[in-house]
Amino acid sequence: MEWINSSSSSVQEKQQQQQEENEGEMMAVEGLYTKVMTDEQMELLRKQIAVYAMICEQLVDMHKSFSAQYDIAGMRLGNPYLDPFMASGGQKITARQRWTPTPVQLQILERVYDECSGNPGKQKILDITTELAHHGQISETNVYNWFQNRRARIKRKQSGVPSNTTESEAKKHVMSKKNTTLESIQSFENPTTRISENNIYFQSPNIGMEQMIGKMDAGMVFSPLPHWQMDRYDMLG
Amino acid sequence: MEWINSSSSSVQEKQQQQQEENEGEMMAVEGLYTKVMTDEQMELLRKQIAVYAMICEQLVDMHKSFSAQYDIAGMRLGNPYLDPFMASGGQKITARQRWTPTPVQLQILERVYDECSGNPGKQKILDITTELAHHGQISETNVYNWFQNRRARIKRKQSGVPSNTTESEAKKHVMSKKNTTLESIQSFENPTTRISENNIYFQSPNIGMEQMIGKMDAGMVFSPLPHWQMDRYDMLG
DNA sequence: GTTGTATGAATGAAGG
DNA sequence: CCTTCATTCATACAAC
């Protein structure tokens, strides 16, 4: 069978339509459509899985030790870690993963925003999309999101931008991509239990069970359905 | 920096297959190279991660039982670990304000979603809630909203998407996501050791540790270096 | 190459 | 059910 064959399945049926030469996440392969994933994304996924694999393994080892004897000393689950896989090849490209309005589009959007007091109707969005499409690849969803975000962010600014940046959208800085994977995993939520240092999982050969559990309970939550798997849906018809 | 270190564990050992150039499924886009992945592949990966998450969670639960029973001091030999960041703000201590499904919960939800064709009855929701409660804080409303949103969003995605013919065929390859979810994962690498029954992981909130370990040693072993990164990897024949 | 920031997108929840 | 909001995640890009 074909590995690279277009299909749909997964939680949401999907089928692409729209722009075919869109360089976004879709591309044609032998006449079929497929999603594109960058090395970076793959790397990330790979790491997530690896992290789980490691944790599962350690937990199992731990259990074995327990079962065998309450030999605490045997608690040493890990040992020196080796690098299972790291150096990813070359991840140069970055297929566009997110739409970015062109200056022209932005200008039009802002103009319309003022005209509509920030809330254009569905039909209006469709019209706008059509017009913007003349200036670059775009979809209704993009427009919809743009207005959505615009409203939310303007509102936030007005209602005060107190130094209260600890909560809203101006704080958490997920640093460089290198740490992103772990960061995203451990700090997904619940800041009170998050570990301050990155690499908590690997900073030492032996990780305390308590810590691990902490991570599981609090931070081991990750985006279940990677957004890039989803299609860019066109907001309703 | 090193991400994953491992020594000599069954699972990770295999991850060693250094990733090379993976010329395999690459294609040129605007002069750049990218990897390609189908929806099925993505779905599969996502599920793999989810299963790991679930296993980890259960292992942790088990561990907790053990700890409680024997109250082994050695377990916390680690470092108490204090969070240096908690002091400043003060309000961030408050837990999250909105429910976020854990991977396990999500997996269950999706399974139920398929079973109920997206519309579980009131009683069903109650049942689900009860079960999900074993994996984290949750309320009926959460479940209700989840289904509500899911239906709406799936629908939206489907709209504007001319149904396609590739679907029926493609589905065969991956799974109808109902009972095959785990199967596909289990048999990912080693079909001979796969579990014959589906949903073995979910038959009850707690499954025996031995079983789980069995799964890990036998069926849960998958190519650490995602097949889609290997050259010409042939997924099942 | 890192760190900070602006902003596109995902999603739980609320309102109608 | 549908639309909208609020919050958060993640990425593109600028600034260092």
Side-chain angles (χ1 to χ4, degrees):
Chain A
M1 81 179 260
E2 294 276 300
W3 245 105
I4 308 291
N5 71 19
S6 162
S7 67
S8 47
S9 69
S10 87
V11 199
Q12 46 281 169
E13 309 305 350
K14 82 279 302 336
Q15 214 23 321
Q16 216 52 103
Q17 66 311 346
Q18 290 210 185
Q19 51 270 112
E20 321 213 319
E21 37 298 292
N22 166 21
E23 83 227 297
E25 306 93 332
M26 300 288 292
M27 37 173 48
V29 181
E30 295 178 358
L32 295 168
Y33 286 103
T34 59
K35 294 293 193 310
V36 176
M37 193 179 189
T38 63
D39 283 350
E40 220 168 74
Q41 294 173 319
M42 290 196 283
E43 179 76 351
L44 192 106
L45 251 186
R46 209 151 46 82
K47 286 175 182 172
Q48 290 188 323
I49 292 178
V51 169
Y52 271 121
M54 184 200 65
I55 291 178
C56 283
E57 204 168 287
Q58 295 201 334
L59 284 165
V60 168
D61 284 349
M62 201 176 281
H63 171 266
K64 284 178 178 171
S65 297
F66 260 127
S67 303
Q69 55 195 351
Y70 308 153
D71 178 7
I72 311 305
M75 271 305 291
R76 59 147 220 44
L77 358 136
N79 3 353
Y81 296 115
L82 296 183
D83 180 355
F85 56 93
M86 204 26 231
S88 61
Q91 52 211 96
K92 331 273 185 227
I93 54 76
T94 300
R96 165 137 58 228
Q97 303 177 281
R98 101 179 183 188
W99 166 74
T100 301
T102 65
V104 181
Q105 289 178 326
L106 198 56
Q107 190 173 356
I108 296 174
L109 282 169
E110 303 221 14
R111 177 167 54 73
V112 176
Y113 182 88
D114 290 335
E115 290 174 0
C116 303
S117 300
N119 203 336
K122 264 187 306 188
Q123 184 54 52
K124 187 70 180 176
I125 286 184
L126 193 59
D127 295 341
I128 298 169
T129 303
T130 302
E131 172 160 357
L132 293 181
H134 296 163
H135 303 286
Q137 184 272 311
I138 193 173
S139 79
E140 286 175 70
T141 302
N142 296 138
V143 178
Y144 177 77
N145 284 333
W146 189 88
F147 278 96
Q148 193 85 65
N149 282 313
R150 183 86 177 177
R151 282 195 296 272
R153 282 159 178 150
I154 281 184
K155 181 190 241 175
R156 176 175 304 172
K157 246 167 199 181
Q158 294 180 325
S159 67
V161 195
S163 55
N164 181 11
T165 51
T166 52
E167 286 187 297
S168 285
E169 198 180 84
K171 31 60 192 234
K172 288 192 218 166
H173 295 153
V174 186
M175 2 219 142
S176 67
K177 291 172 169 189
K178 254 183 246 142
N179 302 321
T180 301
T181 302
L182 265 187
E183 275 286 43
S184 65
I185 291 173
Q186 56 187 29
S187 68
F188 207 83
E189 261 305 336
N190 209 332
T192 62
T193 54
R194 93 183 256 181
I195 306 306
S196 61
E197 298 294 351
N198 21 21
N199 273 341
I200 172 73
Y201 295 117
F202 311 116
Q203 53 191 11
S204 79
N206 296 308
I207 301 173
M209 186 57 163
E210 300 311 320
Q211 280 180 45
M212 198 136 49
I213 290 175
K215 241 97 285 123
M216 296 278 311
D217 290 346
M220 230 21 211
V221 182
F222 58 83
S223 222
L225 219 206
H227 64 282
W228 28 272
Q229 176 187 359
M230 315 268 233
D231 280 309
R232 293 184 172 309
Y233 46 80
D234 274 29
M235 80 165 265
L236 46 90
Chain B
M1 92 191 185
E2 303 281 307
W3 246 77
I4 293 166
N5 303 299
S6 82
S7 50
S8 54
S9 27
S10 60
V11 175
Q12 297 176 314
E13 200 121 279
K14 297 175 172 129
Q15 304 185 328
Q16 262 186 34
Q17 323 180 10
Q18 219 11 35
Q19 75 169 74
E20 296 288 16
E21 303 310 71
N22 334 320
E23 312 273 334
E25 299 144 10
M26 292 184 77
M27 42 177 20
V29 181
E30 298 185 345
L32 295 168
Y33 285 100
T34 58
K35 300 290 194 322
V36 177
M37 187 176 201
T38 64
D39 286 337
E40 289 97 331
Q41 294 172 316
M42 289 298 294
E43 179 74 352
L44 194 73
L45 253 188
R46 189 176 66 71
K47 287 175 179 172
Q48 288 185 327
I49 293 177
V51 168
Y52 263 129
M54 187 194 59
I55 291 179
C56 285
E57 197 170 294
Q58 299 212 323
L59 283 165
V60 167
D61 283 346
M62 250 170 242
H63 169 265
K64 283 177 179 171
S65 298
F66 270 117
S67 299
Q69 261 183 288
Y70 304 110
D71 187 61
I72 296 164
M75 282 312 267
R76 17 180 106 147
L77 69 154
N79 340 357
Y81 214 114
L82 302 175
D83 189 353
F85 289 156
M86 269 179 55
S88 58
Q91 23 193 344
K92 55 166 28 172
I93 297 178
T94 311
R96 75 182 66 178
Q97 344 174 236
R98 102 178 180 185
W99 168 74
T100 299
T102 66
V104 183
Q105 290 178 325
L106 225 193
Q107 172 119 14
I108 294 173
L109 282 168
E110 293 192 0
R111 176 166 56 78
V112 175
Y113 182 88
D114 288 334
E115 288 174 358
C116 302
S117 299
N119 208 338
K122 189 66 181 172
Q123 182 55 48
K124 186 69 179 175
I125 287 186
L126 195 58
D127 295 341
I128 299 168
T129 303
T130 301
E131 164 142 10
L132 293 182
H134 297 168
H135 303 286
Q137 182 67 51
I138 192 172
S139 79
E140 275 180 78
T141 303
N142 297 138
V143 179
Y144 178 77
N145 283 330
W146 188 87
F147 277 96
Q148 191 81 58
N149 281 312
R150 173 142 267 240
R151 281 195 295 275
R153 283 164 178 149
I154 281 183
K155 184 179 195 179
R156 185 168 60 174
K157 252 177 283 199
Q158 290 179 324
S159 74
V161 177
S163 198
N164 195 308
T165 53
T166 58
E167 174 178 72
S168 56
E169 188 159 357
K171 280 218 156 165
K172 285 189 267 186
H173 300 312
V174 183
M175 46 260 159
S176 62
K177 156 167 213 87
K178 191 178 192 165
N179 333 301
T180 40
T181 297
L182 287 170
E183 265 185 27
S184 65
I185 293 170
Q186 294 165 345
S187 62
F188 200 81
E189 243 322 275
N190 200 336
T192 64
T193 55
R194 68 191 286 178
I195 307 304
S196 58
E197 290 301 321
N198 33 20
N199 280 338
I200 180 164
Y201 294 117
F202 303 122
Q203 286 173 4
S204 71
N206 292 305
I207 63 179
M209 184 59 157
E210 301 313 318
Q211 268 182 57
M212 202 136 38
I213 290 176
K215 241 103 282 139
M216 300 253 337
D217 290 345
M220 224 18 219
V221 181
F222 59 83
S223 188
L225 212 218
H227 60 279
W228 33 273
Q229 257 207 14
M230 303 170 126
D231 291 344
R232 54 209 281 72
Y233 179 98
D234 281 319
M235 173 110 162
L236 45 101

